[in-house]
């Protein structure tokens, strides 16, 4: 199954298939996003229109209701409670004094009289639609021309007042096809005020929402209101919303397809570049374009060079350098990193084998990837190379990063095997991975390397300025040595030294050097390139014989009997 997946990956991972897949996936994604955006914009535009219409209708409705309430209040002051000419005159006067009162009437004890006796509206044949503050409300009007012209009837006691539908209709454009509803406070029913439909049942909380909602696919909007009795709501035709969605969608579709094509083009370029880089990397190994540089490591107390970290650089035929951040992850993903590690080991011993034999106090550290420590292959290879060049095992150390230890148990076994052969093990970029004490105690480790990010934070007002001293103290508690990376200022070196760090590397001491420059540094012919204190200490160290002293291993699997560990300049 795994083999089949690998074959499928190799078949698909080509510029054109990957570009096509990316374009199709991007088209689907951007089309869906565009559709969602078109729907969102259309709904927002619809909500704005309904809010604008609703404000006009609400303003008119409040005027109408205000006059109806005033008319009822005037009639309530009448002492007459029977249909006689005086009461009819009062009814007519109320209707005359208020523009929006179409009819005022009296109904009690089987009597009925109206301000419009010849054209009196029939009494509502159903119970009131809702009741508020002792008044009954009937919403009787629709948009059908043949229906009763009365739009709103309010009754209090024996008196009733009503308003015409036209008083509300002239506040909206009838061609918009809007339905106007009243939602009594606390009710789940939207009652038609100017609509040809039956009452609508709304979801709980919908009446108090100011966002556009959909009822049976139609836009429904409830206007915010401070009125304690009701809220006004509008129902718009579905066609208008669909028309808006289509309009927005037609504008967004070309953009979505263009973005999908752009994503496909970028994918094509990246895959072709990656495949090209992978092929070039294979050729670089054959053409020996990979170069090894050495970053010297100094004792912070004596400023004596005690070794170096081997760094890989890819120098193209045109002289340009390709950053390790580009080709090392690629080599790890393709498995080429094993060949690079083997090449690095061979180059280090071929370039510096004679120097290491003359200076047994020096060591060179080699970086290992996750696949290098997942299987026990580095130990036997290093043993053969060391025997060929006459270099001691303790002069080759291995660095691993926390992020590279995918299988901690397998890595722990293989690192312990390297230590048993006499090699030291360093944790590189400590503090940027797991960084747990329990995790650290599981590994056979001799030294921690503090990441440059924590060194840069020293002496500045940064949240991470105390991480480096904390790592030093933790390493001391575990009997581990400490190397600080990326030291660029003297105050950083002094502070780390005062905290108990053992060694440091960085541009304060020396930049990465070629093999020739590193040999010259150790032999004392390039001391002028070092800072004064490092130059003085290096001169004292290279001028005569240096007697090595043991550097004890940290707690962990015991090393092979008889193995010898040189002094790395510990205080």
């Amino acid at each position: 199954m795994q083999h089949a997946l690998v074959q499928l990956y190799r078949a698909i991972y080509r510029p054109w298939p990957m570009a096509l897949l990316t374009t199709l996936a991007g088209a689907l994604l951007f089309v869906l996003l565009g559709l969602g955006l078109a729907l969102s914009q259309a709904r927002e535009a619809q909500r704005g229109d309904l809010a604008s219409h609703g404000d006009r209708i609400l303003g008119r409705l409040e005027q109408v209701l205000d006059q109806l309430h005033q008319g009822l209040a005037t009639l309530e002051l009448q002492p007459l409670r029977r249909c006689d000419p005086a009461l009819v005159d009062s009814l007519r006067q109320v209707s005359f004094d208020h523009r929006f009162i179409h009819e005022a009437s009296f109904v009690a004890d089987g009597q009925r009289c109206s301000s419009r006796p010849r054209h009196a509206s029939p009494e509502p044949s159903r119970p009131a639609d809702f009741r508020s503050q002792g008044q009954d409300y009937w919403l009787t009007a629709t948009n059908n021309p043949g229906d009763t012209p009365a739009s709103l009837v309010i009754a209090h006691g024996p008196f009733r007042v009503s308003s015409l539908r036209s008083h509300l209709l002239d506040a909206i454009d009838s061609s918009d096809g809007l339905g106007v509803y009243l939602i009594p406070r606390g009710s789940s029913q939207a009652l038609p005020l100017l609509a040809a439909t039956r009452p609508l049942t709304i979801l709980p909380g919908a009446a108090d929402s100011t966002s556009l909602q959909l009822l049976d696919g139609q836009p429904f909007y409830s206007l915010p209101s401070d009125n304690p009795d009701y809220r006004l709501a509008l129902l718009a035709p579905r066609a208008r919303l669909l028309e808006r969605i289509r309009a927005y969608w037609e504008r967004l579709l070309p953009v979505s397809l263009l973005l999908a094509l752009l994503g496909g083009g970028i994918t094509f370029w990246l895959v072709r570049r990656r495949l090209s880089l992978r092929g070039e990397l294979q050729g670089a190994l054959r053409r020996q374009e990979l170069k090894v540089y050495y970053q010297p490591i100094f004792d912070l107390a004596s400023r004596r060079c005690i070794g170096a970290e081997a760094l890989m650089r890819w120098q193209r035929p045109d002289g340009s350098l390709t950053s390790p951040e580009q080709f090392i992850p690629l080599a790890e993903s393709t498995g080429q990193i094993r060949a690079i590690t083997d090449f690095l080991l061979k180059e280090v011993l071929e370039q510096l084998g004679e120097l290491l034999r003359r200076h047994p106090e020096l060591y060179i550290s080699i970086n290992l990837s996750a696949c290098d420590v997942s299987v026990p292959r580095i130990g036997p290879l290093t043993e053969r190379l060391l025997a060929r060049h006459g270099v001691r095992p303790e002069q080759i150390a291995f660095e691993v990063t926390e992020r590279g230890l995918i299988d901690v148990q397998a890595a722990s076994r293989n690192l312990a095997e390297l230590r048993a052969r006499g090699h030291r093990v360093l944790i590189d970029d400590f503090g940027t991975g797991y960084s747990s004490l329990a995790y650290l105690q599981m590994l056979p480790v001799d030294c921690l390397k503090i990441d440059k990010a924590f060194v840069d934070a020293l002496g500045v007002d940064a949240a991470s300025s105390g991480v480096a001293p904390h790592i030093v103290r933790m390493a001391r508690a575990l009997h581990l040595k400490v190397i600080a990376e990326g030291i660029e200022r003297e105050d950083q070196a002094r502070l780390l030294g005062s905290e108990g760090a053992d060694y440091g590397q960085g541009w304060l001491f020396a930049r990465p050097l070629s093999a020739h420059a590193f040999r010259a540094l150790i032999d004392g012919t390039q001391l002028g390139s070092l800072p004064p204190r490092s130059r003085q200490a290096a001169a004292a160290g290279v001028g005569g014989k240096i007697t090595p002293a043991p550097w004890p291993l940290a707690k962990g699997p015991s090393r092979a009997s008889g193995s010898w560990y040189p002094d790395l300049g510990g205080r």
Side-chain angles (χ1 to χ4, degrees), residues 402-433:
E402 298 174 88
R403 297 184 299 274
L405 300 177
I406 301 175
D407 187 344
V408 178
Q409 293 182 348
S412 180
R413 291 194 301 269
N414 295 322
L415 293 177
E417 190 265 341
L418 290 175
R419 293 181 78 237
R421 291 176 179 270
H423 304 288
R424 280 184 292 266
V425 175
L426 296 77
I427 296 294
D428 195 13
D429 297 336
F430 186 79
T432 62

Side-chain angles (χ1 to χ4, degrees), residues 54-254:
D55 287 340
R56 294 197 301 269
I57 299 173
L58 184 61
R60 176 55 58 86
L61 178 62
E62 289 176 347
Q63 291 179 339
V64 171
L65 288 176
D66 184 61
Q67 290 195 12
L68 293 179
H69 291 151
Q70 290 179 14
L72 279 179
T74 301
L75 293 175
E76 284 293 329
L77 297 177
Q78 297 294 326
L80 302 174
R81 290 295 184 272
R82 63 179 181 277
C83 283
D84 56 15
L87 181 58
V88 172
D89 289 341
S90 298
L91 295 174
R92 289 175 176 172
Q93 187 63 42
V94 167
S95 177
F96 180 79
D97 291 340
H98 298 86
R99 171 191 171 191
F100 296 121
I101 295 182
H102 170 68
E103 180 182 3
S105 61
F106 173 84
V107 180
D109 300 329
Q111 302 181 66
R112 185 179 189 285
C113 51
S114 170
S115 61
R116 299 172 58 87
R118 295 184 180 180
H119 306 284
S121 301
E123 283 297 306
S125 59
R126 66 179 188 277
D129 293 321
F130 68 95
R131 183 178 180 83
S132 176
Q133 299 181 0
Q135 297 178 343
D136 294 324
Y137 291 75
W138 284 270
L139 312 179
T140 60
T142 69
N143 288 332
N144 297 327
D147 290 341
T148 174
S151 173
L152 183 61
V153 178
I154 303 179
H156 185 268
F159 296 103
R160 287 166 172 73
V161 290
S162 64
S163 178
L164 289 176
R165 182 173 64 246
S166 59
H167 293 151
L168 296 176
L169 284 175
D170 61 5
I172 62 174
D173 186 352
S174 58
S175 63
D176 290 335
L178 296 177
V180 183
Y181 293 81
L182 278 184
I183 306 176
R185 185 69 66 183
S187 174
S188 62
Q189 295 288 316
L191 306 175
L193 179 62
L194 291 175
T197 61
R198 53 183 171 75
L200 301 176
T201 301
I202 57 179
L203 296 174
D208 298 325
S209 175
T210 58
S211 61
L212 188 72
Q213 304 172 64
L214 294 178
L215 289 181
D216 297 330
Q218 291 184 266
F220 179 81
Y221 178 70
S222 173
L223 276 76
S225 173
D226 296 330
N227 193 294
D229 300 328
Y230 62 87
R231 292 188 71 164
L232 188 70
L234 301 180
L235 187 70
R238 182 185 309 174
R240 180 57 177 161
L241 179 60
L242 295 178
E243 181 182 346
R244 290 181 183 273
I245 294 175
R246 187 181 306 110
Y248 283 115
W249 172 236
E250 289 175 353
R251 291 201 294 265
L252 291 173
L253 180 59

Side-chain angles (χ1 to χ4, degrees), residues 314-549:
W314 182 2
Q315 187 170 10
R316 301 295 188 94
D318 60 0
S320 63
L321 289 176
T322 299
S323 171
E325 285 76 12
Q326 295 181 8
F327 71 87
I328 292 298
L330 173 63
E332 290 177 339
S333 65
T334 59
Q336 294 171 301
I337 191 65
R338 292 186 176 92
I340 292 178
T341 302
D342 297 348
F343 172 80
L344 180 62
L345 273 168
K346 295 175 183 178
E347 284 292 292
V348 166
L349 290 172
E350 288 179 2
Q351 293 176 355
L352 300 182
E354 189 271 337
L355 180 71
L356 293 175
R357 290 193 297 272
R358 287 192 292 109
H359 294 277
E361 75 283 358
L362 294 177
Y363 84 102
I364 305 297
S365 65
I366 307 294
N367 287 280
L368 299 181
S369 68
C371 61
D372 289 325
V373 298
S374 61
V375 292
R377 72 174 196 88
I378 294 295
L381 172 63
T382 307
E383 184 177 14
R384 292 193 300 270
L385 294 173
L386 292 176
R388 181 188 308 169
H389 293 277
V391 176
R392 300 181 181 187
E394 56 268 18
Q395 291 182 277
I396 297 296
F398 293 103
E399 298 186 15
V400 294
T401 62
E402 298 174 88
R403 297 184 299 274
L405 300 177
I406 301 175
D407 187 344
V408 178
Q409 293 182 348
S412 180
R413 291 194 301 269
N414 295 322
L415 293 177
E417 190 265 341
L418 290 175
R419 293 181 78 237
R421 291 176 179 270
H423 304 288
R424 280 184 292 266
V425 175
L426 296 77
I427 296 294
D428 195 13
D429 297 336
F430 186 79
T432 62
Y434 305 103
S435 304
S436 69
L437 185 60
Y439 158 81
L440 187 60
Q441 289 177 325
M442 291 174 59
L443 297 174
V445 179
D446 299 294
C447 181
L448 300 182
K449 299 189 72 174
I450 302 176
D451 186 73
K452 181 181 185 299
F454 303 124
V455 175
D456 290 339
L458 292 173
V460 298
D461 185 15
S464 57
S465 60
V467 175
H470 175 72
I471 294 176
V472 174
R473 290 191 292 270
M474 182 176 65
R476 287 298 183 189
L478 296 174
H479 307 289
L480 302 177
K481 297 291 184 179
V482 176
I483 300 176
E485 297 182 290
I487 299 177
E488 298 180 356
R489 304 192 311 270
E490 180 64 32
D491 61 304
Q492 293 174 336
R494 292 179 179 176
L495 178 58
L496 288 165
S498 66
E499 291 289 344
D502 302 283
Y503 318 108
Q505 63 184 95
W507 287 10
L508 173 67
F509 308 110
R511 299 197 178 199
L513 305 174
S514 65
H516 174 74
F518 182 69
R519 288 193 297 267
L521 170 66
I522 298 302
D523 291 335
T525 59
Q526 282 192 355
L527 297 181
S529 63
L530 297 178
R533 187 176 179 187
S534 298
R535 187 188 318 140
Q536 181 181 4
V542 301
K545 183 178 179 181
I546 300 176
T547 304

